[in-house]
Amino acid sequence: MGQKPIVELSNINKSFPGVKALSDISVDFYPGEVHVLLGENGAGKSTLIKIISGVYQTDSGSLKVNGEEVRFMNTREGLAHGISVIHQELSVIPDLTVAENIFLGREPKIAGTGLIDKKSMNQQTQEILDSIGVKISAKAMIRRLNNADRQMVEIARAVSQDSSLVIMDEPTSSLSNKEVDALFTVINKLKKNNVAVIYISHRLKEITAIGDRISILRDGQLIKTALLSEISEDDMITLMVGRQMTQFYYRPEKEAIKDEIVLKAEHLTRSGVFEDVSFELRRGEILGVAGLIGAGRTEVMRAIFGADKLDGGKCSVFGQEVHFRSPREAIKAGIGLIPEDRRGQGLLLQKSVKENTSLASLYANSSHGVIDQKWETDVARDYIKRLHTKTPDENARTKNLSGGNQQKVVIAKWLVAKSKILIMDEPTRGIDVNAKAEIYALMKEFVENGGSIIMVSSEMPEVIGVSTRIMIMREGRVSGMLDNTDVAEKDIMKLASLNAG
């Protein structure tokens, strides 16, 4: 190899009650190299990076940093040894500025006073942001930034810490294509500075574009480590799921789509957010909604669901004009929303799988305010089995499930509620290949049983692979509607791009 590894893992084992999370893992991470960790949700990737960074301690095996055996008891110790983590779930503090977040706990001080040197802190932050091509002010409040900008602040914080190893856990899940390019520029700069990068993503195109080496995990075991130049995408998927995947995307047959319009949006407007949005959804179809981040897709769906107020326009559901004042009214009309932020808006993380599964159907299955507990247990067990949700049982806390399995609980909630229209906002974000295929199959089954789906997605292969028609949004307006026959990514991008005519 020529160089010595920055981090060496030897025979790492880690168990939790009832679960063997990692079994005899040995892998090295080298300076100037992007090392991809690939595996299904629950394969052990998160546990591995938590051991490296100091969140967890090993049951057995050794961790060496720059040749020295270490056992971090917390993340501060890991950071002191040059290991920083950019988490999938953002950890920035909304009521602080960008600079205050980046230098939190290590603020520069005015000599002899102990006071924070805000001028220096802002200046250093702006230099870091400029150096990685991020157009954000150091003085901006985090609360006023969108998710993509918040993610870039996380990345800037890791860059500012002069780390020798940066761990990136799904760093592009909230980023547009342009911002992904900016991130890759940052990663290449880190490589040139001899920093090691551990990169976790389920997006295979990204992995092959930025990665040098890959380690594939399955059920807590290391299946293979190889140079990315020596392994195909098909091989990655096969090694990850343990079998050949014969089908990935599932699209409903055109013959199954009925002429009946189940939802009609006419001239929907929310001042300053979206304007004059009109479309129709037919029974049995999956309508894809594409567009760049900030195009207004999520905001339109929230307004239809009654979560946000409309300033103009109208909606009809099953032929009846509706004016939902709350999500409760939309749910009653047969609409379910799987939100983009499943942890913040789709689940009660401290509650059990059972309680989350039954949440939207409690009123219909209660008598005089008393929940039918046998029904609640039976329905939770049924959907754990149907959706292949990995959980010890229906009483497990939802926060302890992997991202993909949490998403299955959100979907189960609306299937139990007998929703006829599902609005799915980024339904497979942060979910592994196998779980994606299962969700696509569930979507197909849902529409073939008479349901209808609106699917917002930033992944164009997904939009093309699953949708029957594709609505494209740009700057809060509908910029095009395509029948999904031989649609190419460039056709969507032309309509979605800000510089399009």
Side-chain angles (χ1 to χ4, degrees):
M1 186 80 215
Q3 296 190 83
K4 291 182 178 179
I6 286 176
V7 170
E8 301 168 76
L9 300 175
S10 302
N11 309 112
I12 297 291
N13 289 279
K14 181 67 179 176
S15 294
F16 299 100
V19 180
K20 178 88 179 195
L22 295 174
S23 182
D24 203 34
I25 302 286
S26 296
V27 61
D28 299 336
F29 302 97
Y30 289 89
E33 187 174 88
V34 176
H35 195 129
V36 174
L37 291 183
L38 183 66
E40 295 184 73
N41 293 109
K45 306 183 301 296
S46 293
T47 304
L48 194 63
I49 64 173
K50 284 175 179 176
I51 284 172
I52 294 169
S53 60
V55 177
Y56 295 154
Q57 292 73 47
T58 62
D59 295 339
S60 62
S62 79
L63 165 63
K64 289 182 180 178
V65 177
N66 293 316
E68 175 196 353
E69 187 159 345
V70 293
R71 184 175 176 83
F72 301 142
M73 300 311 293
N74 53 53
T75 54
R76 187 177 289 274
E77 291 182 11
L79 197 56
H81 280 74
I83 294 168
S84 60
V85 185
I86 299 163
H87 294 284
Q88 182 181 357
E89 306 300 337
L90 299 177
S91 60
V92 287
I93 299 171
D95 292 317
L96 295 181
T97 67
V98 170
E100 287 166 342
N101 268 276
I102 286 177
F103 281 94
L104 190 63
R106 51 192 186 94
E107 297 87 349
K109 300 291 196 318
I110 298 171
T113 68
L115 298 173
I116 294 171
D117 188 343
K118 287 198 171 184
K119 184 179 178 183
S120 173
M121 186 169 70
N122 288 333
Q123 186 179 335
Q124 288 181 61
T125 297
Q126 203 61 58
E127 286 171 3
I128 292 163
L129 292 167
D130 293 345
S131 74
I132 60 176
V134 177
K135 291 181 172 60
I136 305 170
S137 167
K139 298 176 184 177
M141 294 295 293
I142 294 291
R143 184 173 295 285
R144 297 185 180 277
L145 302 182
N146 60 30
N147 266 357
D149 286 340
R150 292 182 188 195
Q151 181 70 278
M152 296 308 276
V153 171
E154 294 259 23
I155 291 161
R157 180 164 61 192
V159 169
S160 76
Q161 290 163 341
D162 293 326
S163 304
S164 55
L165 173 70
V166 177
I167 300 169
M168 299 187 175
D169 187 2
E170 295 282 352
T172 63
S173 61
S174 301
L175 303 187
S176 68
N177 289 340
K178 185 180 177 184
E179 288 155 343
V180 170
D181 290 341
L183 171 65
F184 284 4
T185 300
V186 173
I187 291 173
N188 284 321
K189 284 183 180 177
L190 293 176
K191 284 175 64 176
K192 284 176 185 171
N193 291 331
N194 238 17
V195 175
V197 177
I198 297 177
Y199 192 92
I200 297 176
S201 178
H202 296 300
R203 298 177 177 179
L204 299 184
K205 281 187 178 178
E206 268 181 28
I207 287 168
T208 52
I210 198 64
D212 299 302
R213 191 178 299 270
I214 187 167
S215 289
I216 299 169
L217 299 172
R218 185 171 74 237
D219 298 328
Q221 295 184 315
L222 179 62
I223 303 302
K224 187 181 182 73
T225 295
L227 292 172
L228 265 156
S229 57
E230 296 173 355
I231 188 167
S232 70
E233 288 189 12
D234 285 347
D235 288 340
M236 287 182 216
I237 294 170
T238 301
L239 290 165
M240 182 168 57
V241 302
R243 65 181 193 281
Q244 287 282 341
M245 290 195 69
T246 53
Q247 187 169 7
F248 186 47
Y249 294 117
Y250 292 83
R251 189 191 300 166
E253 301 297 330
K254 284 212 167 184
E255 295 73 32
I257 300 168
K258 311 299 181 191
D259 290 333
E260 179 191 353
I261 294 167
V262 297
L263 187 149
K264 186 173 185 178
E266 298 179 82
H267 311 295
L268 302 185
T269 298
R270 182 172 167 83
S271 184
V273 182
F274 55 84
E275 190 175 353
D276 198 30
V277 173
S278 299
F279 65 90
E280 295 174 345
L281 177 69
R282 300 187 183 98
R283 182 186 290 277
E285 87 163 328
I286 299 175
L287 175 66
V289 183
L292 302 175
I293 289 170
R297 300 167 301 165
T298 293
E299 291 78 4
V300 169
M301 299 309 143
R302 283 178 55 83
I304 289 171
F305 190 61
D308 294 330
K309 186 175 174 292
L310 283 166
D311 293 325
K314 62 180 182 178
C315 267
S316 300
V317 176
F318 301 110
Q320 297 290 313
E321 189 171 329
V322 294
H323 298 276
F324 298 141
R325 290 166 295 180
S326 69
R328 183 192 294 268
E329 294 179 4
I331 294 166
K332 198 172 177 182
I335 301 176
L337 172 67
I338 295 167
E340 179 181 14
D341 178 8
R342 62 173 166 264
R343 291 173 66 88
Q345 298 173 1
L347 293 165
L348 299 175
L349 291 173
Q350 299 297 334
K351 298 293 185 182
S352 68
V353 171
K354 175 176 71 176
E355 289 167 311
N356 274 285
T357 301
S358 64
L359 196 59
S361 313
L362 286 178
Y363 185 78
N365 292 277
S366 302
S367 177
H368 305 293
V370 179
I371 298 166
D372 183 342
Q373 293 195 339
K374 183 180 184 305
W375 163 83
E376 191 178 32
T377 299
D378 288 348
V379 82
R381 287 177 178 171
D382 179 37
Y383 276 89
I384 287 168
K385 189 175 177 182
R386 279 187 60 188
L387 275 59
H388 309 291
T389 308
K390 288 182 183 174
T391 175
D393 56 41
E394 72 278 5
N395 295 310
R397 272 196 188 181
T398 311
K399 75 169 189 175
N400 295 330
L401 271 58
S402 67
N405 288 302
Q406 287 178 353
Q407 187 72 313
K408 289 181 182 181
V409 175
V410 182
I411 292 171
K413 174 175 68 177
W414 295 117
L415 295 178
V416 170
K418 297 183 171 58
S419 302
K420 297 179 179 69
I421 298 169
L422 271 185
I423 300 171
M424 307 179 86
D425 194 352
E426 304 286 2
T428 66
R429 172 169 287 168
I431 292 176
D432 63 68
V433 173
N434 197 38
K436 279 185 179 183
E438 290 178 332
I439 287 170
Y440 299 146
L442 283 167
M443 291 167 67
K444 183 172 185 281
E445 181 185 342
F446 179 78
V447 294
E448 286 179 349
N449 287 333
S452 306
I453 292 174
I454 303 172
M455 181 189 73
V456 176
S457 177
S458 299
E459 294 193 34
M460 282 188 284
E462 175 173 84
V463 173
I464 293 168
V466 174
S467 309
T468 44
R469 287 186 304 139
I470 302 167
M471 179 172 82
I472 300 97
M473 290 190 66
R474 182 176 75 236
E475 294 186 308
R477 289 176 170 268
V478 176
S479 58
M481 185 76 76
L482 301 173
D483 274 320
N484 196 0
T485 50
D486 298 321
V487 170
E489 288 190 21
K490 64 177 175 18
D491 301 327
I492 296 174
M493 278 307 298
K494 188 176 179 183
L495 289 163
S497 296
L498 296 177
N499 59 2

